[in-house]
Structure formats: structure tokens, C-alpha cells
Amino acid sequence: MLREGDLHEYKRLRDAMLSAHDEAFTSDAASERGRSAESYRNRLSQANGVGCMFTVTAWRGEQLVGAVSCEREGRAKIRHIAHVVGMMVADEQQGRGLGRALLYCALRLLGAEPEIRMATLSVSSGNEGAIRLYESLGFRRYGQLPGALKLADGRLIGKDLMALELPPPP
């Protein structure tokens, strides 16, 4: 789990991923570069269950090489839905199963929460590697938001919307 002392490493990884993969993230590198590491405290586990529930991390020695966060809203009618956000795996670690392990761990944690029955995420249309990973873990596409992202060069990229129904905890 992401801890207070990990925030500088989290920002380092996030800044690198946003710079290298502009089309894969809703946030833009220029805006996020100006944020302090402490501004990511909202990615730490929250005891009240509203906002960020947790961020699962992967390390190689002292270096953070992967992370994924899960969030939820406080509104009563949708408290059974969690959102998977900020999935990141350092370029040099991709293709080794790290993303699968991070997401699997996050889904197990969500599945253990009695109120959570569904996980959702959005992924840039055309990001076939990520889409295959999400589908292999049971996510199914339920829609698309065409032109969801407008990049600095004017390109528009859609977002595929995916969901996974979680079984009730034993």
C-alpha cells in the first residue's frame, strides 16, 4: 500500500509515465509536474471509505515501478461501485506481469469489501495491451466516450468504459 513516505517516489513515477504516455492518461504532464509530492496524499488509504480507498504499489529495491489506485464516492446509491484509476507500470518493467499482479491485488482487496460489488475503469481506445489485460481479468466494455481526451496536438482519443462485477465475499 502507498504510504506517506512513498509520495516522492509516486510523483517521480507518475511524472515519468505522464510524459512518456500522454495518450494513456486523462491528466497531462505539464499540469501535474507543478504539483508537489504531498498533493498526492489523497491516494493514501482513507479510513472513511470515501475518495481514494487505497493505492497498491510495486517496488524494485528502493524504486517504485508500478501503482494502481481504487476510489469510490460517498453517495449512498453508488457506494457499491469502486473505480480503478491511475494504473502505471514503469516502461522498463512492462511485459513482466507486474500490471496483472497489481490489478489482481487491487481486485482482491475490493472483493473483500462487503459493500463493493462492481469495479469500473476507463482506458484510452486503442491501448490494446491494457485492454487485453483488463479483459483477461474479467472486465467487459460497456461503452465508449468518443473524443474524451484532447491532446496538445489537437488529436482526440476516445475512452473505453469497462466494468467488472465482483462476487460477494465469502
Side-chain angles (χ1 to χ4, degrees):
M1 294 295 185
L2 186 68
R3 291 172 280 187
E4 184 83 25
D6 302 333
L7 293 175
H8 287 281
E9 270 297 299
Y10 183 83
K11 177 173 174 40
R12 182 201 55 76
L13 175 63
R14 184 168 166 80
D15 285 350
M17 297 305 297
L18 291 173
S19 292
H21 304 283
D22 188 36
E23 69 289 344
F25 295 95
T26 303
S27 298
D28 67 283
S31 299
E32 295 294 304
R33 248 189 317 273
R35 289 180 65 174
S36 69
E38 291 73 25
S39 71
Y40 292 104
R41 275 194 183 99
N42 65 342
R43 295 289 170 118
L44 301 173
S45 298
Q46 302 295 315
N48 65 7
V50 178
C52 185
M53 297 176 66
F54 56 79
T55 299
V56 178
T57 59
W59 296 82
R60 183 171 187 146
E62 299 289 315
Q63 185 177 22
L64 180 66
V65 295
V68 62
S69 298
C70 293
E71 302 175 340
R72 73 191 281 191
E73 293 190 47
R75 295 180 285 178
K77 291 181 180 180
I78 57 173
R79 283 187 54 81
H80 66 288
I81 301 172
H83 309 288
V84 176
V85 298
M87 177 76 170
M88 305 180 287
V89 174
D91 289 342
E92 66 275 8
Q93 298 297 319
Q94 292 182 10
R96 299 179 180 184
L98 187 56
R100 175 178 303 284
L102 283 166
L103 190 55
Y104 180 79
C105 182
L107 292 174
R108 296 230 354 154
L109 290 167
L110 288 176
E113 289 286 327
E115 288 185 338
I116 303 292
R117 299 290 34 98
M118 183 176 293
T120 70
L121 59 80
S122 67
V123 58
S124 296
S125 302
N127 188 344
E128 295 303 324
I131 292 169
R132 278 192 307 276
L133 168 63
Y134 301 143
E135 288 177 341
S136 75
L137 289 170
F139 281 89
R140 297 291 169 246
R141 183 173 167 218
Y142 67 89
Q144 183 186 59
L145 181 59
L149 302 179
K150 184 176 181 182
L151 304 183
D153 64 8
R155 285 183 295 149
L156 295 174
I157 296 177
K159 284 282 208 172
D160 290 353
L161 310 173
M162 302 182 84
L164 170 66
E165 190 173 331
L166 298 168

